[in-house]
Amino acid sequence: MQKNVLILDFGSQYTQLIARRVRELNIYCEIHPFNKIPEDLSVFKAAILSGSPFSCRNPEAPKPDLSKIKGKIPLLGVCFGAQFMAHNYGGKVDSSNTREFGRANLSFIKDGELFFENILEQSQVWMSHSDSIKDLPEHFTRIASTADVLNAAYKIEGEDTYGIQFHPEVYHSTDGAQLLENFLVKIAKVPQSWTPSAFVDMTVSELKEKIGTDKVILGLSGGVDSTVAATLLHKAIGKNLHCIFVNNGLLRKNEFDSVLDQYKDMGLNVKGVDATDRFMDALKGISDPEKKRKVIGNSFIEVFDDESSLVEDATFLAQGTIYPDVIESISVNGPSATIKSHHNVGGLPDFMKLKVVEPLRMLFKDEVRRVGAEMGIDQKLLGRHPFPGPGLAIRILGDITLEKVRVLQEVDAIFIDALREWHLYDKVWQAGAILLPVDSVGVMGDERTYEKVVALRAVESTDGMTADWVDLPHKFLQKVSNQIINRVKGVNRVVYDISSKPPATIEWE
């Protein structure tokens, strides 16, 4: 695996964004916690220090040992990273008179600086800090300012070491991509060789070497990640890949059969297992969302283990783990506080003695789609919206019954079909319906009704870390609402969720 750029994480909310911007330059990078710097730094051609919620003046603030990095390879400190170096090497960092947050413009750029090539004065940047560098250390040279921040950017003389007190990774910094390109490509001379084609060739080669002639079992979900993982493995080991697609009874309407049909033309060895009754029995009477997830996860493992035992001499279990999952598990603060459990994360039970292989573990979601396109996977499969592992169970608030599943499947189908019909599906990152544990009074004809309420949810996002609700056309919502109420027995009221993430999450449970 090529390394190229090391990103040291100090706990910033923007660290993953830095990595994404670097990858967009076709440059491979890895995020590591500041307190777990890799032993072998010779494989890295440049390093970036992230921001942090800490003040560098705080005694509890991160204090990384940069002795093997600074002055040895090109180094860029972003916000906290810049302030830490200024503070640590003899400068003065102090609290700002006012918190510097939001848009600002570069009022001064030092002439002839390769770091700012093709970037003009008045270029907009994004600030997000409450401290500021008041005095630069000896041998530090100011190379940019804004109206309020004198030392917006600096360079250390005799080194390819830079610091900036703004965030180039945020879209609000209009020349942020150019600045990162200047630093990584023009100054650090990092090769732009991280492409979908290169990833496919490299990964297939590595999988062949790792797996050899052993058999691999993969749980397919019909989603993008597992489909791309399966295709990569199929290219590497062919018929020795055994895919299992489990119907937990909580899929979308007709999804079990339609997904199996889609895989028929891909040459994959797929077995469909309908375990609806098993999951429904296990979920009976359970309404707590975390318990629902755990029951579904345990039931999935039991079914999967039953089926995998029918594959003689299986050695590996393949998973569609992607890079955000990996970053969460090695975060600077340890694993993040549990928001909700994911049934495919957390290791294997003792009775499944299989080694794990994760071909997508270093990719972001958008990279997974690009790799899939490189391998010729149908755009309909690659464009599928993300769907939660526990399925409709976490979109039915409260306990689960077959009747509730039926109602929600019908509502969801009307909503998703309408998005396609109105050419809105591909403009939405994720959409679905939620069945609320609320009965609402209504009037149909001359009769008074007392039936369920459903909420529709549609968000736009890049990777699910943050999301905004989609302002769907009112006429569209009006038509969908009428169709749901007229066609789905048991529903008499439709609402639309206009909450963003954060503070809300995409799913309701």
Side-chain angles (χ1 to χ4, degrees):
M1 177 71 77
Q2 53 184 313
K3 298 292 184 180
N4 293 347
V5 178
L6 168 66
I7 299 173
L8 290 185
D9 179 24
F10 297 92
S12 169
Q13 62 178 323
Y14 295 136
T15 304
Q16 284 197 41
L17 207 48
I18 296 174
R20 289 178 52 78
R21 296 293 170 263
V22 173
R23 296 273 186 96
E24 286 170 3
L25 293 170
N26 291 336
I27 292 174
Y28 181 74
C29 61
E30 286 185 3
I31 296 173
H32 290 266
F34 76 91
N35 53 1
K36 295 178 183 175
I37 299 176
E39 289 288 324
D40 182 11
L41 293 171
S42 65
V43 294
F44 296 103
K45 300 183 184 301
I48 298 174
L49 310 180
S50 83
S52 174
F54 282 99
S55 162
C56 66
R57 299 176 294 114
N58 187 329
E60 302 298 317
K63 293 179 175 59
D65 178 6
L66 301 179
S67 59
K68 295 180 181 178
I69 299 175
K70 181 181 169 293
K72 308 291 195 302
I73 59 175
L75 174 63
L76 172 62
V78 176
C79 204
F80 172 88
Q83 293 171 356
F84 169 79
M85 288 193 289
H87 177 74
N88 198 52
Y89 296 109
K92 182 181 179 182
V93 175
D94 213 340
S95 178
S96 301
N97 294 330
T98 57
R99 178 169 164 76
E100 291 158 352
F101 182 86
R103 295 171 177 82
N105 298 92
L106 296 177
S107 56
F108 160 75
I109 296 175
K110 187 172 183 285
D111 289 338
E113 282 295 334
L114 186 57
F115 188 70
F116 280 106
E117 189 169 271
N118 297 323
I119 300 174
L120 302 176
E121 288 183 2
Q122 298 309 311
S123 176
Q124 180 178 285
V125 295
W126 182 261
M127 297 285 186
S128 179
H129 54 90
S130 52
D131 283 354
S132 195
I133 301 169
K134 302 298 184 183
D135 298 310
L136 288 172
E138 191 176 356
H139 306 303
F140 282 51
T141 301
R142 179 170 65 253
I143 58 175
S145 305
T146 69
D148 296 320
V149 181
L150 180 65
N151 299 304
Y154 63 74
K155 178 186 178 183
I156 300 181
E157 296 167 19
E159 299 179 14
D160 285 327
T161 300
Y162 297 82
I164 52 177
Q165 291 198 89
F166 54 87
H167 289 273
E169 70 276 18
V170 176
Y171 281 122
H172 301 301
S173 291
T174 50
D175 292 310
Q178 179 67 60
L179 186 142
L180 289 172
E181 181 179 342
N182 290 345
F183 173 68
L184 294 172
V185 179
K186 296 176 182 176
I187 294 171
K189 303 287 195 288
V190 181
Q192 293 175 282
S193 56
W194 177 249
T195 63
S197 175
F199 175 82
V200 171
D201 292 343
M202 177 183 65
T203 303
V204 168
S205 176
E206 289 177 352
L207 290 171
K208 284 179 177 177
E209 185 177 341
K210 179 174 183 175
I211 297 167
T213 58
D214 290 344
K215 293 179 181 177
V216 178
I217 296 170
L218 169 67
L220 277 175
S221 67
V224 176
D225 299 341
S226 67
T227 300
V228 173
T231 306
L232 275 168
L233 284 157
H234 181 67
K235 286 177 79 73
I237 63 172
K239 65 181 188 314
N240 282 339
L241 173 65
H242 296 259
C243 300
I244 299 169
F245 179 38
V246 177
N247 181 11
N248 57 12
L250 300 160
L251 302 174
R252 287 184 151 132
K253 184 179 180 181
N254 301 326
E255 187 164 26
F256 184 56
D257 292 330
S258 66
V259 167
L260 287 175
D261 286 341
Q262 284 179 307
Y263 285 132
K264 279 180 183 176
D265 298 328
M266 297 177 64
L268 297 176
N269 177 13
V270 183
K271 179 180 181 181
V273 180
D274 190 348
T276 299
D277 292 343
R278 186 169 185 167
F279 280 85
M280 286 298 155
D281 288 344
L283 284 165
K284 196 169 291 182
I286 297 174
S287 58
D288 179 78
E290 195 64 16
K291 287 180 180 176
K292 284 195 287 188
R293 286 175 177 271
K294 292 276 170 57
V295 166
I296 291 167
N298 291 336
S299 298
F300 176 82
I301 289 171
E302 290 169 6
V303 173
F304 200 77
D305 189 55
D306 290 346
E307 294 299 324
S308 62
S309 66
L310 301 177
V311 180
E312 290 185 17
D313 303 322
T315 308
F316 287 92
L317 172 69
Q319 291 184 309
T321 309
I322 61 175
Y323 200 33
D325 303 323
V326 176
I327 294 168
E328 281 292 305
S329 68
I330 61 164
S331 79
V332 64
N333 299 313
S336 296
T338 299
I339 297 174
K340 52 194 174 189
S341 302
H342 296 268
H343 74 269
N344 62 333
V345 175
L348 298 169
D350 292 338
F351 54 80
M352 286 183 71
K353 307 297 183 184
L354 298 173
K355 292 180 281 187
V356 175
V357 58
E358 299 169 313
L360 307 178
R361 65 180 280 111
M362 303 314 291
L363 297 185
F364 287 103
K365 189 78 172 186
D366 57 318
E367 293 177 311
V368 174
R369 287 194 167 99
R370 290 203 295 272
V371 165
E374 176 68 29
M375 294 189 294
I377 296 175
D378 190 323
Q379 189 55 45
K380 285 184 180 177
L381 267 173
L382 293 178
R384 282 171 62 96
H385 290 175
F387 188 66
L392 298 180
I394 58 167
R395 293 182 178 176
I396 297 172
L397 308 195
D399 66 326
I400 311 296
T401 66
L402 281 172
E403 175 59 15
K404 288 180 181 179
V405 172
R406 179 201 68 79
V407 168
L408 190 55
Q409 283 178 332
E410 294 294 336
V411 171
D412 179 82
I414 290 170
F415 184 32
I416 299 301
D417 288 348
L419 286 171
R420 294 188 192 280
E421 182 187 332
W422 284 59
H423 305 292
L424 295 168
Y425 184 86
D426 292 333
K427 297 177 182 178
V428 171
W429 192 75
Q430 185 171 353
I434 301 93
L435 182 63
L436 306 183
V438 175
D439 286 338
S440 163
V441 175
V443 178
M444 290 188 176
D446 294 327
E447 294 184 8
R448 187 180 178 88
T449 61
Y450 203 53
E451 295 178 333
K452 293 294 182 188
V453 180
V454 294
L456 305 181
R457 180 93 160 120
V459 299
E460 53 188 4
S461 178
T462 303
D463 52 19
M465 306 300 290
T466 61
D468 288 323
W469 61 277
V470 178
D471 191 4
L472 295 172
H474 289 187
K475 286 187 177 179
F476 168 83
L477 290 172
Q478 181 183 32
K479 182 176 180 181
V480 170
S481 174
N482 287 341
Q483 287 180 337
I484 289 170
I485 292 170
N486 287 329
R487 295 181 189 177
V488 184
K489 185 175 174 56
V491 175
N492 70 355
R493 192 177 298 266
V494 177
V495 299
Y496 186 55
D497 183 348
I498 58 169
S499 311
S500 295
K501 175 187 180 182
T505 53
I506 295 175
E507 300 294 343
W508 281 43
E509 286 193 341

